[in-house]
Amino acid sequence: MPAFQFPKSIESRPVYAALAAGPGTAHLMLASGEGVKALCDLAEAAPDLMAGAHVIYVAGDHAAGRERVEALAPAQLYVAPTYLAAVPVLRKALTDAHMGLRIYIAGTEGFIGQAMQEAVIAGFPMEAIQREHRGSTARRMQCVHCKGITEDVATDPFVCAHCGLHLYVRDHYSHRLAAFQGVRVDAEDPGLIPPVKAIYP
């Protein structure tokens, strides 16, 4: 079961569930940070799954995660320091994929959205990609005014890292951009900024 249950919201807001083994000729597993825990749960529920799995793990600052993912003994394993470093490997895995590939993604929302975006661009339908949230609840936000992306937003409102506007954190999510949308909070009353609060208390 995912570690954090997001409150119900609008239709575009992503919904996550626990990863579950499905039939397939190959299994591509992507995880970042604490997402390795979801892979461990998946491997425990389906012990034979890792024998045919290709795992791409973005360790970041999660040093213990590398040892845990190595202990799973997947058929193929690539450990990257950052998501950007993992992208070429992910794209090659998707390009070389054959019919019957199952895709599993676990980690933060920002990671899940970007990895899923790559899979969709490669031709995989969203319905065929399993996603489980693990780790930080901070969001990847796009400013609708300057179009800049601000990573790891944990407060509402927040300041756009590109144009400096104070933005309201909306639940509207763009799968195309793999980001939530932020709108200027003081558009009608310039300078009137509400108190900053955590997105999830």
Side-chain angles (χ1 to χ4, degrees):
M1 171 172 273
F4 183 83
Q5 294 295 320
F6 293 95
K8 288 185 178 180
S9 183
I10 60 177
E11 189 174 335
S12 72
R13 206 235 181 277
V15 176
Y16 306 100
L19 300 181
T25 57
H27 304 272
L28 176 60
M29 302 178 184
L30 315 165
S32 69
E34 293 183 37
V36 69
K37 296 175 183 176
L39 296 192
C40 289
D41 290 346
L42 181 61
E44 185 178 349
D48 298 331
L49 198 61
M50 287 296 163
H54 180 180
V55 175
I56 298 173
Y57 178 59
V58 178
D61 297 328
H62 201 70
R66 181 182 188 121
E67 295 178 8
R68 296 187 73 174
V69 77
E70 287 174 348
L72 296 175
Q76 296 181 69
L77 173 62
Y78 177 74
V79 179
T82 65
Y83 174 73
L84 287 179
V87 168
V89 177
L90 170 57
R91 287 178 178 169
K92 181 165 181 14
L94 292 169
T95 300
D96 294 346
H98 297 288
M99 186 75 72
L101 177 72
R102 305 283 298 192
I103 301 175
Y104 310 78
I105 308 174
T108 62
E109 288 198 286
F111 173 79
I112 292 171
Q114 291 176 88
M116 188 167 172
Q117 185 181 50
E118 291 290 341
V120 170
I121 289 171
F124 293 87
M126 287 192 292
E127 301 76 29
I129 304 167
Q130 289 195 45
R131 301 161 291 163
E132 180 172 343
H133 174 268
R134 290 290 182 112
S136 170
T137 58
R139 298 185 183 188
R140 185 171 192 261
M141 299 292 304
Q142 187 210 37
C143 172
V144 301
H145 307 284
C146 76
K147 309 306 179 187
I149 299 286
T150 302
E151 301 285 354
D152 300 323
V153 173
T155 61
D156 179 24
F158 74 99
V159 177
C160 175
H162 301 271
C163 67
L165 289 177
H166 288 80
L167 305 178
Y168 165 64
V169 175
R170 298 175 62 216
D171 274 354
H172 177 66
Y173 184 80
S174 168
H175 289 285
R176 181 178 64 84
L177 300 169
F180 289 90
Q181 306 295 288
V183 179
R184 184 175 177 180
V185 76
D186 60 338
E188 295 183 6
D189 295 297
L192 185 60
I193 311 296
V196 174
K197 63 183 180 183
I199 294 175
Y200 299 108

